[in-house]
Structures are given as structure tokens and as C-alpha cells.
Amino acid sequence: MSAELAGLVLDLVAKAAPDAEAEVTVVRGELALTRFAGSAIHQNVAEDIGKVRLRLHTEGRTASSATTLTSLDALEALVERTIGAARLRPEDAGWGGLTPPSPLSGEGNYDPATAAADPGARAAVVRAFVDAAGGLETAGYCRTSETITVYANSAGQSVTARATAAITDGIARTCSSDGVARSAAVRLGDLDGAALGEHAAARARLAADPVPLAPGRYPVVLEASAVADLVGFSAWYGFNARAVAEGRSFVELGHEQFDPAITLHDDPLRPDALGVPVDAEGAPKRPLPLVLGGISTSLTHDRRTARQAGAESTGHAVPGGERFGALAGHLCLRPGPEGPDLLAGLDRGLLVSDLWYTRVLDPRTLVVTGLTRNGVWWVEDGRIVRPVRNLRFTQSYLDALAPGSVQAVGARAESIPGTYGEGRTSTPGVRLASWNFTGGAAD
Amino acid sequence: MPEFDLASAAVQAALDAGAHYADARLTVRRYESMSAHNGDIEDLTQDESAGIGVRALIGSSWGFYAVPDPGTAAARHAGERAARIAQASTLVPGAPIQLAPVDVRQDSWANGCEIDPLSVPLSEKGDLLAGVTATMREHGADIALASYDAWDTRKWFVSSEGHRIAQHVRECGAGMNATAVGDGETQRRSYPGIRGHFGTAGWELVRSLDMPGNAARIAEEARALLSAPQCPPIETDLILGGEQMALQIHESVGHATELDRILGWEAAFAGTSWLDLAQLGSLKFGSELMTITADPTLPGALGSFGYDDEGTPAQPVDIVRDGIWVGALAGRDSAALAGLPYGGSMRADGFNRMPMVRMTNVGLLPGQHSLDDIIAATDDGIYMDTNRSWSIDDRRLDFQFGCEIGWEIKNGNRGRMLRNPTYTGVSPVFWGSLDMLGNDLVYWGTPNCGKGQPMQIGHTAHPAVPARFRGVRVGVTG
């Protein structure tokens, strides 16, 4: 039905503006999320998703519109509105053209059972999380989603992709501490609510009764959730081709800007990747190396930035990307070799679970301020000595990962859901030579 | 009206499926946004959405289901699904939810709007944005951006208690910024604020901003910042401009006084609050100059409405009075649990999201002084304005905020420009150091307040004035 809808919109455009280049995206599916707090489900929501997006380029001008309405009248109005808007715009010299016919590598990672998951299935995961916390107060969510995307354009590209995702993210709480556990997967069946609840509770107990620590520079082991923040900011602010073109990015391709232990890919085709394997411009997503052995290697492009740079789209267009560029959504930091635990090499320093409310002070230097959250511990001779209170940091992520700064990369990657529930990052923890803690959070 | 009939069908279906309370919002929204980059229009988006969201209450949990493009059958289906979802929550039950009483109304409301933003010709809007970005480029900006956003939202609300409320809310706003790229860093200046200025108003608001008259200035300031001295790492008296005060209120007072956070309902993501309900009415939040209200009745402010999204009529609520914490932002469920008399702060980001506690217009009562008075009364300090970065802990207590621009204040005079100004503090200590309040009141609109899971973007406003704080740590760098 979505394919017919997309074809109908293209036909309507062809009748109204025969010379227009047009692309239509129809997204359908369901998003459901079961939230719990105080160890009880308190908000349980779901939505039937249906949206049609049209972008067209006519007489040298570009406009886009979207609607949730799918009657013929509504679709005719969508076409008329979009053509009218385009004709009133100034010329768009940067138009990147439409994606030519190009097949996808596959339809996407999809699990029918997850697509059909009912609120009872999500409640069961929550029940297991709560029970495994051993009486500690718990809070968090279990989410499932099904997305079916049809993309078609007047240049002949026509693809259908589908994906499912399941995420559980929760905390367990003592009177003085929180512990967190989170995971993202294609299949709800791969999420073990009990194991996550047990882990969160164990971490909360280990973090109980924290003591203050003087601000300063300390070596750190960042667990996977914290590393996901470094990796994401590096990609979105740095390896975004638009940011590079505007001079806002630190990236210099071919330069050793990271420690040799850092190899970072965007890989949307892994069997555990979340999301559909087609970008917002209908381009097939494909793996892209961003950093190889510490050397900055590639940028993420959509068709607009690719045309300006004389390059090809890398399949990273996102809705609304005209304003902020092309973004990587399937980041994978390559694990290090098997070896001693990351903590084993930490003589005196801090183990950090999670980072919170991180904000970029300057994109060129990638200086970020934020706080630790969900557990911080003082470590001596590779062993946790005591929990410490949350700390504020002001740290250049680029400096933290610079050549000579990464002492070790963990051997096992975890699947960390995106902060806002979209996408995920595959990353291990890392041990860094220095992290600049600039204040103690007031507990 | 057919909209009320659809919403009523959804509510009845939820009741038939076992809900002991249900409500439904049918929402039709049109959204338009345009952006310009270095003299060219780079994006124009015109979206419309229509759908119905149904909330059903069974025991200790809300169930919510939303469908786009509804007919009667789809509306009934949404009501049934909402009740079934709530029923499934009984596998992990809590204490039963009660709802604070509210007057049941059948009414309609619309905000004032002189010039419909969606009827203004695109050519006029495009000329404005392209023109100011071209001007910024001519005056030293490497990257010049400008944009506007406009929303036209019609809502029909029906509850099982008998509410039938129609509302028509028109909102718009615009802004621009200039970025200068230097050797290893960037500097940015924005106008009127970090992402503009917004209100429940028509295009007359955008025209009143005088963006063309400020484009050259901010570009020149961005360029000048590249060679300005760094804000020193010291403890000093801090004067904040009104726009940064709006951010300060939003992050450290508004979110901290949301009752769902205080009750732990947002503990896993947005966080909790350092405030303890047992201290309501006695806790010293700040100095005696600090009086903050949440008032959704302010004409033209972005957080204004006639009724919130569970049918509670808008009315002002004291949050902090003479420095003492006295009130909270709440919904009917959280207010009943906490024993507060009033909800009235529940809003949803579109038909497909469940209403949650959101700030309305949370702001300061103004003082007596002009900004010049405050500067003249300051021997040694720093004046900062226009937010650039913001970070605060999950209890809304420890913060570090950065501004785009600062100036030294020496012997009552504004001196050198300073780059990368930041300041940090602990909320009650910081607010306790407030000793001068300005009188230049602006209802700063914030159109991007993120909260909830799935994420919702809320529209709030913050009446704010310039203010002075004593002995603040500034100049934290990486």
C-alpha cells in the first residue's frame, strides 16, 4: 500500500509539474514504549505511524512538505502546496539531484515477533527488570518499534526497507546512588530484562554512599555508555561534510588526529544494526570508515554536500539535513585485542559509567562540558576502592582521544541505545590518560 | 462538530474497554519553516499533521494510543487500544492514580494574532532571511544563518468527565546568527537569542524584532570575539542579560519545580529534582528579590494557552515568592498524589504524544533597575549575554552555562569584550546571591524544550530581566 501511495504522489507531481524532479518517502509502522518509575509501569504509550514526505525541485527551486493525511484530496493538496512553495523560492544552486536507481544491500534487519510485540510482552521485560533489582527502586523503559519505509523518485529509484528495534534502558536506585543498564537489539527476544535489572542493581549498590573528590585531571576508564557520547559528538560535529566545508569541524582527512587504537566505522549493514538501510534521499546505506588506526579517513555526505565537494553521497542524508548536514547513525568503535580488563591498567584514576547533559562549547576544539551519572568510582592498582560523587567535566573530546592519549580499548563492544531512543552505537569501554574534571556536582 | 464527535467516539471506546477515565485530543497542525544560509534560502518545509491521541486510565497506569488521519472507526480503535495498553500495565502495578478535581468546561479559546504567519507571502519571508544573512556575510560572518518557524494548531479535547474544549493556537518566531571561524576555534553571535524569539502571536512579532537592524552588529561582534581576550577564571560579580536569564530560569527553576520530576517519574532519563515536597513553603530557593510565577495567561508569551491538554483552565501559579519555594508545575495526577490543589501544566507535543508536565511561562517578576543602573553599580565584574551552551545535573542543582559574549565591568563602566565566557554554580547558592534586578521585561520564548520518552519538544516562555549575582565562579575552560 505504501508503494502505491508513493507512486500516486509521483504521478500527481508529474501531471502538475512535468519537469519537476520529485522524491516521495512513505513511512509506516508502530512505536510503543512502556515506562516505569517507582518500580511500577506509569506511562504506557503507542502510536500508529503514517507519514508521507514529498521533496521536489522544479525550475531550479526546491521545497519539501509532509503530511499524515493520505486521502486523494490531501495528497493533491500536498503536491499543490509543495510546487507552489518551490516556485516562490529563490533558485537553489546547491541542489544535489535525485538518487539514481540503485539497489539496497537488503531490506533491513527485521524481526516479525518484535513487530508484533504487544504491551504484555514489554510489560514482561519490565517485570523481569524490576524483580531482578532485588528490592531496589527501579525506573526506565522498554521500547519496541517497527518501521517500513518506501522511497521512490522520478529518476527511477524505488526501494522498500523495513526494520525493527527493541530497547531496554533502566536504573536501579539506592538512597545515595543509581546504577544503569541498557541494551538495544533488532529482536525484543534478545533483551534480557532480568540480566539488565540485576546489573543495574549491582552497580547501584557498588556506587552507594559516594564521597567527594577534588576536581582535577585524572586517568579514567570510560564504560561503553560514556564512550558512545565521545564517538557520537566526534562524528556529528567532526565528520559531517557540511561542518568541514563551513570550517566548523576539526577534521583534516589523512591526518593522524586520533590515537592509533581508534578505528571508527559507520556500519548500517551489520546484522545487529538498527534502522532501515536507506537514507532520506533514497541512497543505499553502506559501511563507511571514519577513522582507521587514528587517521581521519572519510566524511559523511548527502547529495548536496557531495556535489559541492565533488564527491559521492555516502548514504547519510537525514530529514532536514539541508540545515545541518549528513549524519552517521550506526557508529561502531572497533574493540581492542583480548587482554587484561581495562581497570587492570589503571593505577590511580576513575571508573565512569555514564555521561550526562553534555554540551559542546566549541565545535572546532570539541570542548564539551557535562557531568558523570549512574556511578563513578576511585580506582587504585586496578581495583575499585570507593564510589565518589558525580563530577562536572570540561574536556576536549578530541584531546581525550588524541595520539598517545588512549591507553587501551576494551575487547568487547556493547550495543548502546541512542540518548533519545533512536539508533545505537556499538562500542567497548576505553582507558584514557587524562580527563579534566572541573567541579564536583552538588549532591 | 465532527471533530468533537470523533474524540467522543474514542473516549467512549476506551470506557467500553474498561477505562475508568479517558480523554482524547484531535489535533490538526500546520507547520512552516524556512532557513537561509549566507544569502541564499536553503530550506523550506511545510508540514501538516492530523490525528487523534487517546489517554485511558486503569489502576496505576495511563495507556495511550494515537492514530493519524482518523475516521470514526480509527478513533474507536485508538480508544480501545489505549485501554488495552493501560490494562497490560497491571503486570507491574503501583498505587492507583487519582485525578485532582477540575471544573468541567465546554469552551473555546484562541490567542491573539494580528497577521497570520502562514498567510504572509513566502517571498517576503525569504527576502527577510536572505537579506539579513547577506548583511551578516558582508560584515564579517563566515557562516550566516537565519530562520523562522510558524505553527498553526487546532485542538479539540473531550474527556469522560464532560470536557469539550476547542483551541486555536498560532505561534511563530525567528532568529539569526553569525559565526566567525578563526584559527582553531569559532565564535558566534545570535539575535535576538540563541535560536531567536518566539511567541503565541502572529507575524507582527517577527516584524517587531528588527532583524535587519541588528545583522551587521552581530556579525561584527562575532568577528571581534575571535581576537578578544579569554574570560578569566575568577570569582566575581556576574551580570546576566535577559536572554541568558531566561535560560537560567528554564534550567535551574523551571525543570526543578516540575512535579513529575520531584515525584521520581522522570528519574531514569530527564532526572529528578533536588527539591523535597516536605520543604514546600519553607525552603529558601534564593534571595528575597526572587519571585517566580508560572503564568500561562500572559498574552503573546510562547507558553500561553486557554486550557492545558487535560482540560484544566490556565491560571497563574506562584513558584517562588520572596525567595521561598511555594509551588510546582503539575498535572491532575501528580497534583492529587502530592496533595496540591491545582494541575494545569500538562501539554503534549502533537496528537501522537501523551500530555506531560511542561513549563508554561515561568518567569521573574521584574525589579526597578535598568541594565545601565546595574552596570553603574558594579565596581568589578563581568556582564554576559546570549546563551551558547548549557549543562546541568540530573537533580537540577549543579550547572555550567556558557554565553556568546562577555564584557569586563570596571568601576561602573563596560570595558573590554571577553570571549568564551562561562559561569558555574549551585542553584540555591547562586539564586541566593541575586542582589539587583532589572526592569526590562521580555517574555523570551523557548521552542525546543526536550523531555519525556518518547522525546517531546515543548514550547515555553520565560519572562526575564537582566540581573546581578555576587561572587560567581566564571571562566571554566577545558
Side-chain angles (χ1 to χ4, degrees):
Chain A
M1 180 185 171
S2 295
E4 288 78 8
L5 207 57
L8 173 59
V9 174
L10 286 179
D11 288 345
L12 292 171
V13 172
K15 286 179 188 168
D19 295 332
E21 298 175 73
E23 63 179 9
V24 181
T25 306
V26 180
V27 179
R28 289 191 177 279
E30 183 169 283
L31 166 66
L33 191 146
T34 299
R35 292 186 93 188
F36 58 106
S39 301
I41 294 173
H42 65 314
Q43 295 169 1
N44 207 343
V45 304
E47 65 170 310
D48 177 2
I49 297 170
K51 191 168 188 178
V52 181
R53 179 172 182 267
L54 168 65
R55 185 171 69 151
L56 56 80
H57 183 74
T58 182
E59 301 170 13
R61 295 160 167 82
T62 312
S64 61
S65 295
T67 184
T68 65
L69 304 173
T70 55
S71 68
L72 180 59
D73 286 349
L75 296 176
E76 286 175 338
L78 171 74
V79 171
E80 182 181 355
R81 183 169 73 238
T82 313
I83 292 173
R87 286 178 172 156
L88 285 170
R89 280 196 49 180
E91 290 203 13
D92 177 8
W95 170 246
L98 296 174
T99 300
S102 32
L104 305 183
S105 298
E107 276 212 330
N109 296 326
Y110 185 87
D111 174 46
T114 300
D118 64 15
R122 289 183 295 277
V125 173
V126 172
R127 179 79 265 168
F129 189 105
V130 171
D131 289 346
L136 295 189
E137 181 183 327
T138 57
Y141 72 88
C142 175
R143 162 184 164 139
T144 57
S145 65
E146 176 196 33
T147 304
I148 300 170
T149 298
V150 169
Y151 174 93
N153 68 28
S154 56
Q157 172 70 332
S158 179
V159 294
T160 298
R162 58 183 190 165
T164 55
I167 299 171
T168 296
D169 189 332
I171 60 171
R173 318 184 70 193
T174 74
C175 294
S176 59
S177 63
D178 293 346
V180 68
R182 50 175 66 108
S183 190
V186 172
R187 296 159 33 89
L188 179 62
D190 288 343
L191 297 183
D192 186 339
L196 292 167
E198 187 176 341
H199 180 76
R203 303 293 282 186
R205 293 190 178 97
L206 190 62
D209 302 320
V211 298
L213 181 73
R217 291 184 182 273
Y218 296 102
V220 291
V221 168
L222 302 182
E223 294 191 330
S225 285
V227 178
D229 202 67
L230 276 68
V231 167
F233 275 31
S234 299
W236 302 326
Y237 286 92
F239 290 92
N240 174 344
R242 175 166 173 160
V244 173
E246 293 181 338
R248 291 183 285 116
S249 166
F250 61 83
V251 169
E252 297 178 65
L253 293 182
H255 289 245
E256 187 177 358
Q257 296 188 281
F258 295 88
D259 190 275
I262 299 297
T263 288
L264 177 65
H265 288 80
D266 190 61
D267 191 350
L269 302 184
R270 286 168 47 134
D272 56 354
L274 304 186
V276 293
V278 58
D279 79 357
E281 296 178 325
K285 292 183 179 177
R286 55 185 171 84
L288 182 73
L290 301 175
V291 182
L292 291 175
I295 297 173
S296 297
T297 304
S298 312
L299 305 178
T300 53
H301 280 288
D302 56 22
R303 295 188 66 80
R304 183 177 292 269
T305 62
R307 181 172 180 269
Q308 289 164 351
E312 289 190 356
S313 168
T314 56
H316 289 88
V318 295
E322 290 88 349
R323 298 190 187 191
F324 45 82
L327 303 180
H330 310 81
L331 294 164
C332 303
L333 182 66
R334 191 175 70 187
E338 290 291 342
D341 183 83
L342 287 174
L343 275 189
L346 189 59
D347 294 334
R348 289 172 60 82
L350 289 163
L351 170 63
V352 176
S353 283
D354 209 357
L355 305 181
W356 167 245
Y357 220 121
T358 51
R359 293 292 184 273
V360 172
L361 301 184
D362 178 47
R364 277 289 290 265
T365 52
L366 211 56
V367 172
V368 174
T369 188
L371 298 114
T372 62
R373 188 174 178 181
N374 297 321
V376 191
W377 296 269
W378 179 251
V379 176
E380 292 181 4
D381 300 325
R383 294 184 0 189
I384 291 174
V385 175
R386 58 183 172 272
V388 302
R389 290 185 182 175
N390 282 317
L391 293 156
R392 173 169 292 286
F393 64 86
T394 308
Q395 168 69 49
S396 163
Y397 282 4
L398 191 58
D399 288 349
L401 300 174
S405 297
V406 180
Q407 297 179 339
V409 177
R412 190 177 70 85
E414 297 179 37
S415 181
I416 305 298
T419 302
Y420 304 111
E422 304 294 339
R424 63 134 212 174
T425 299
S426 174
T427 181
V430 298
R431 188 171 71 241
L432 305 176
S434 177
W435 194 262
N436 185 28
F437 293 99
T438 49
D443 288 319
Chain B
M1 292 178 65
E3 292 86 0
F4 278 132
D5 292 342
L6 283 174
S8 296
V11 168
Q12 188 58 50
L15 296 176
D16 292 346
H20 60 79
Y21 169 87
D23 57 36
R25 275 175 305 112
L26 193 152
T27 304
V28 178
R29 171 178 285 176
R30 291 189 295 155
Y31 167 69
E32 181 180 287
S33 179
M34 185 188 289
S35 65
H37 175 242
N38 291 352
D40 294 322
I41 303 299
E42 65 174 0
D43 185 38
L44 169 61
T45 297
Q46 294 174 310
D47 292 348
E48 66 174 348
S49 64
I52 192 165
V54 188
R55 207 169 57 141
L57 181 57
I58 296 177
S60 61
S61 176
W62 292 104
F64 177 84
Y65 195 75
V67 294
D69 197 6
T72 302
R76 285 197 58 81
H77 171 68
E80 292 162 5
R81 284 290 301 269
R84 286 215 304 273
I85 289 170
Q87 184 64 45
S89 305
T90 57
L91 185 63
V92 193
I97 287 177
Q98 308 295 324
L99 298 178
V102 62
D103 288 345
V104 174
R105 302 275 186 93
Q106 292 84 42
D107 198 3
S108 63
W109 183 88
N111 65 289
C113 176
E114 294 176 23
I115 305 167
D116 178 4
L118 300 183
S119 71
V120 175
L122 289 169
S123 55
E124 178 186 329
K125 299 168 183 170
D127 287 348
L128 171 68
L129 302 185
V132 295
T133 54
T135 301
M136 287 188 280
R137 284 281 285 174
E138 292 162 7
H139 288 263
D142 293 303
I143 308 167
L145 300 171
S147 62
Y148 75 82
D149 299 270
W151 300 262
D152 183 307
T153 306
R154 294 177 185 270
K155 297 188 277 192
W156 292 265
F157 174 80
V158 169
S159 82
S160 57
E161 293 177 345
H163 293 88
R164 288 169 75 94
I165 297 168
Q167 296 194 80
H168 184 195
V169 182
R170 283 180 281 189
E171 308 155 287
C172 74
M176 60 184 177
N177 63 70
T179 297
V181 179
D183 184 18
E185 71 172 40
T186 63
Q187 292 294 336
R188 188 187 69 202
R189 288 292 286 131
S190 304
Y191 178 85
I194 180 173
R195 58 190 67 76
H197 183 40
F198 295 81
T200 48
W203 193 251
E204 65 276 6
L205 170 64
V206 175
R207 289 182 179 163
S208 74
L209 298 177
D210 187 20
M211 289 167 60
N214 288 276
R217 175 181 61 80
I218 64 169
E220 289 161 1
E221 287 178 350
R223 178 62 51 188
L225 279 166
L226 288 174
S227 55
Q230 182 87 8
C231 176
I234 57 174
E235 192 171 297
T236 190
D237 292 346
L238 173 66
I239 301 169
L240 294 180
E243 195 261 9
Q244 178 60 24
M245 280 295 292
L247 183 281
Q248 182 72 48
I249 294 165
H250 180 99
E251 301 293 353
S252 69
V253 182
H255 279 307
T257 56
E258 292 166 340
L259 191 51
D260 55 351
R261 296 181 66 116
I262 294 170
L263 293 172
W265 295 358
E266 298 291 323
F269 179 53
T272 59
S273 173
W274 64 280
L275 297 169
D276 181 347
L277 277 176
Q279 297 175 299
L280 185 67
S282 62
L283 179 86
K284 187 171 172 56
F285 201 119
S287 80
E288 291 182 354
L289 287 179
M290 183 189 186
T291 289
I292 287 189
T293 61
D295 185 355
T297 70
L298 297 176
L302 190 63
S304 291
F305 47 79
Y307 296 85
D308 78 351
D309 283 340
E310 53 181 11
T312 304
Q315 62 178 274
V317 175
D318 284 348
I319 300 296
V320 178
R321 189 188 307 126
D322 302 328
I324 304 298
W325 176 44
V326 295
L329 298 150
R332 294 181 64 190
D333 51 4
S334 54
L337 185 60
L340 299 180
Y342 178 73
S345 301
M346 296 285 277
R347 286 187 292 161
D349 176 13
F351 75 88
N352 58 344
R353 292 291 180 266
M354 193 168 82
M356 63 188 311
V357 176
R358 305 303 308 230
M359 284 176 244
T360 58
N361 303 308
V362 179
L364 268 169
L365 260 58
Q368 303 296 320
H369 305 285
S370 69
L371 176 60
D372 288 343
D373 291 340
I374 298 173
I375 290 173
T378 303
D379 291 334
D380 193 356
I382 293 177
Y383 167 44
M384 300 184 192
D385 201 13
T386 314
N387 182 253
R388 188 176 186 189
S389 67
W390 63 102
S391 174
I392 188 165
D393 76 329
D394 56 307
R395 297 174 64 211
R396 297 283 153 174
L397 190 54
D398 172 291
F399 60 82
Q400 180 171 314
F401 299 141
C403 292
E404 291 182 352
I405 194 165
W407 287 272
E408 281 182 341
I409 304 297
K410 295 288 185 189
N411 302 316
N413 295 303
R414 190 190 301 204
R416 296 186 302 172
M417 182 185 290
L418 299 173
R419 79 180 201 277
N420 300 331
T422 61
Y423 66 99
T424 187
V426 175
S427 192
V429 177
F430 181 80
W431 282 104
S433 74
L434 169 67
D435 78 337
M436 287 190 83
L437 263 182
N439 56 13
D440 183 14
L441 183 66
V442 176
Y443 301 163
W444 289 99
T446 301
N448 68 326
C449 176
K451 185 181 175 186
Q453 293 167 313
M455 174 60 71
Q456 300 193 38
I457 305 300
H459 291 186
T460 74
H462 303 289
V465 293
R468 186 176 75 177
F469 300 85
R470 308 304 294 266
V472 178
R473 184 183 173 203
V474 304
V476 179
T477 58

